[in-house]
Amino acid sequence: VTPEAVQITALRRQEVFGLSTYFNDVFHITEIADLQLVPNTEFAEVDESKNRTGLQRTASRNSESGDRARAEDQLVVIRFEGSGSAVTFSSPKYELLFKAIRSARARYATHTTAAAAAAAVPERVIRPADVPGTLLNVALLNCGSENATLRISAYRMLISVVATFSLDVGHELAFASDLCLPPNPLQFIFRICTRLSQSAPDMTLELLSEALLAFTKSPQNTKPWILHYAQPWLQTLGQFTHDTVAHPDALSRTQDIIRSLVRLHLKEPTMYMHFKEHVWSLIARVEELTDVVLDMLVTVAMEYGALTVETELIADMLATVAGKNPRYNKIVPRLRKLVAQTCTLSVSHISAHQLWPEIAVYMRLLLTISFSNSTLAEEYLPDIAFITCMLLKAGPGMIQATLHGIVMHVVHSLALTQCNGAIIDQTFSSSITGANSFAGNPVRQLGAEENANADAGSSQLLSPYA
């Protein structure tokens, strides 16, 4: 008995085409339809129908020992798929034989079920309203194919989709024989998508979902093409941040799209600049997506933890959108509210609180966007002060250094707003950070009592914002 088969070898040679040989039958585990133990009282009946049932004996050939085996042993009966007969075994080790076959069947069934579940493609429900977006994505995707015949077919399909669903693309499409479509018609496809995203925005969710699904299955040279024709649709995604009668699941689908973009960015480090230029720079301009993007960035970062490479990449994504849209600075009041919520549960130290992992993630994200951000420093200085006081010397050294970096970024940004374009030299830097530089040893100096009066310069700098 093997993990996947039952092998039956005859004990006597038999003549086959004039040659004497042993018969060796191998049955796969899946061919076993039934397995059971038959009481010894039925041995005589089975023995009489020996030719019909194919009786096999693995006990001693000695007749006396065989009689004793018959009196004490049970029979193992195996019935195979597609066969009306069964194979019956008599052996002193009938229990081991029965358990071995039963275990092999169970183990194989468990393994195949798990493998099938892992390889199974989740069923995707396509509603009638989603058909135009799905077909449109197929046409747009293949318009950038390296195969000239496929490009022409995709172009004709694009014409058919536009005509069938009465879509407005202006005067961009016309059916013509012997047409030669260039390998990368970027400007042409971009104009088509821009016009369609404005005239038929209802296709946005389905087209983007299909485009991101195609991104995961496309070769490397096709992925930039997908991001290119998806740009106009990303700009209309802000219309689907709330559920409506026409789109009852608009918000959840928008969140799925943003989450997929974040994860694809993490999985495609070679396309770092493509995502930064063609995805996040565009999304940053869509004001309605601010809360959704911020929620999804934090959600995905929480899956990896604060001090991970993935979270640092997510912080870079946030810095990209925050650099073009100051509304993403609202991460500061979010962190302040999160810290304030820790008062609901009494713990010995804040780093032991259940909200600490999320607080640590927010701090790593805030560190990146706080650099040279005068808008954040001026608007949210009280929140930064509250966060600093509450989290002073909390958590491991890297988190303490993160808090120190946030404070220094805020001080640096405020100093730049008051220097009137002058170059900050070492003297001016010392005047705002104190005689004993705050940047010397953040972990030690953040909580040092002897530095309480050392940073009078920074107190003077921050006083207008108190």
Side-chain angles (χ1 to χ4, degrees):
V1 180
T2 68
E4 296 186 6
V6 173
Q7 180 176 319
I8 303 174
T9 304
L11 296 178
R12 295 179 181 178
R13 289 179 177 271
Q14 298 191 26
E15 295 290 333
V16 180
F17 299 115
L19 299 176
S20 179
T21 184
Y22 291 104
F23 277 101
N24 186 34
D25 296 323
V26 179
F27 300 92
H28 197 267
I29 288 295
T30 56
E31 298 180 32
I32 299 178
D34 188 27
L35 175 69
Q36 58 182 323
L37 287 176
V38 179
N40 191 26
T41 55
E42 300 181 11
F43 182 86
E45 299 178 4
V46 177
D47 189 44
E48 290 176 0
S49 57
K50 177 177 178 181
N51 295 331
R52 178 171 59 86
T53 58
L55 177 64
Q56 304 285 340
R57 284 189 52 77
T58 58
S60 171
R61 308 301 294 181
N62 184 279
S63 60
E64 295 181 0
S65 60
D67 292 339
R68 288 194 298 270
R70 295 182 182 185
E72 299 174 359
D73 302 343
Q74 287 186 313
L75 305 177
V76 179
V77 180
I78 305 176
R79 190 175 301 278
F80 297 99
E81 293 282 357
S83 175
S85 61
V87 179
T88 305
F89 297 90
S90 175
S91 172
K93 299 181 180 180
Y94 67 90
E95 290 186 356
L96 295 178
L97 179 62
F98 179 79
K99 291 180 180 179
I101 299 176
R102 185 179 60 181
S103 299
R105 293 181 69 193
R107 185 166 51 249
Y108 185 83
T110 302
H111 174 74
T112 53
T113 301
V121 177
E123 183 179 356
R124 299 174 61 247
V125 178
I126 299 180
R127 301 169 300 182
D130 298 333
V131 173
T134 303
L135 296 178
L136 181 62
N137 179 72
V138 174
L140 295 174
L141 175 63
N142 291 286
C143 279
S145 172
E146 297 179 352
N147 188 304
T149 304
L150 181 57
R151 289 199 304 271
I152 295 299
S153 299
Y155 178 82
R156 292 173 179 172
M157 180 180 179
L158 182 60
I159 295 176
S160 300
V161 172
V162 170
T164 302
F165 299 103
S166 302
L167 303 178
D168 180 19
V169 295
H171 302 285
E172 296 287 350
L173 296 175
F175 183 83
S177 58
D178 300 328
L179 190 66
C180 180
L181 195 67
N184 289 303
L186 296 178
Q187 297 301 323
F188 166 72
I189 294 298
F190 188 81
R191 291 197 306 270
I192 293 289
C193 290
T194 301
R195 187 65 177 263
L196 286 175
S197 64
Q198 296 171 356
S199 61
D202 290 344
M203 296 191 298
T204 300
L205 293 175
E206 186 60 25
L207 187 136
L208 286 177
S209 299
E210 290 292 327
L212 296 180
L213 179 63
F215 186 94
T216 61
K217 300 180 179 180
S218 299
Q220 197 66 28
N221 59 344
T222 307
K223 293 179 178 180
W225 169 261
I226 297 174
L227 294 182
H228 182 83
Y229 74 72
Q231 291 181 72
W233 304 96
L234 290 174
Q235 298 180 17
T236 61
L237 192 59
Q239 301 178 24
F240 303 94
T241 56
H242 297 87
D243 295 338
T244 61
V245 177
H247 300 279
D249 57 347
L251 178 57
S252 62
R253 296 185 69 181
T254 301
Q255 291 173 337
D256 291 340
I257 290 172
I258 299 299
R259 188 186 300 109
S260 297
L261 287 170
V262 175
R263 289 174 175 166
L264 288 176
H265 191 169
L266 296 178
K267 294 179 180 179
E268 298 288 343
T270 58
M271 298 192 63
Y272 171 83
M273 291 306 301
H274 289 280
F275 274 95
K276 193 168 185 176
E277 179 180 356
H278 300 305
V279 175
W280 303 118
S281 296
L282 292 176
I283 288 179
R285 304 170 189 169
V286 185
E287 298 285 342
E288 297 83 359
L289 289 177
T290 303
D291 291 328
V292 176
V293 173
L294 197 54
D295 289 340
M296 292 302 101
L297 290 175
V298 174
T299 299
V300 179
M302 284 291 295
E303 297 175 2
Y304 294 98
L307 304 177
T308 60
V309 176
E310 289 79 8
T311 298
E312 297 306 308
L313 289 175
I314 292 174
D316 184 75
M317 301 176 204
L318 180 59
T320 301
V321 294
K324 297 181 179 295
N325 188 347
R327 289 191 60 186
Y328 285 91
N329 292 336
K330 63 171 60 178
I331 190 177
V332 179
R334 284 193 177 194
L335 176 56
R336 188 254 305 162
K337 293 177 182 178
L338 194 63
V339 172
Q341 290 177 12
T342 58
C343 66
T344 59
L345 179 64
S346 178
V347 292
S348 58
H349 201 272
I350 191 172
S351 59
H353 198 278
Q354 60 183 6
L355 293 177
W356 175 254
E358 189 172 358
I359 292 174
V361 167
Y362 268 99
M363 290 178 65
R364 294 302 298 177
L365 298 180
L366 178 57
L367 174 65
T368 305
I369 70 171
S370 60
F371 175 73
S372 191
N373 191 338
S374 58
T375 303
L376 181 148
E378 294 180 356
E379 186 174 355
Y380 296 108
L381 183 60
D383 299 82
I384 296 292
F386 174 81
I387 293 170
T388 303
C389 294
M390 296 300 297
L391 301 181
L392 200 65
K393 297 188 69 176
M398 183 62 72
I399 298 299
Q400 296 182 38
T402 299
L403 182 62
H404 167 263
I406 293 172
V407 174
M408 292 306 300
H409 285 173
V410 171
V411 172
H412 174 263
S413 299
L414 294 176
L416 291 177
T417 60
Q418 297 187 13
C419 66
N420 297 323
I423 301 298
I424 298 180
D425 56 13
Q426 185 176 0
T427 304
F428 183 81
S429 178
S430 299
S431 69
I432 66 171
T433 58
N436 296 325
S437 177
F438 185 62
N441 190 335
V443 176
R444 178 179 61 84
Q445 295 187 22
L446 271 173
E449 295 180 357
E450 61 271 16
N451 289 332
N453 300 320
D455 53 352
S458 61
S459 299
Q460 182 179 0
L461 174 68
L462 302 180
S463 59
Y465 305 94

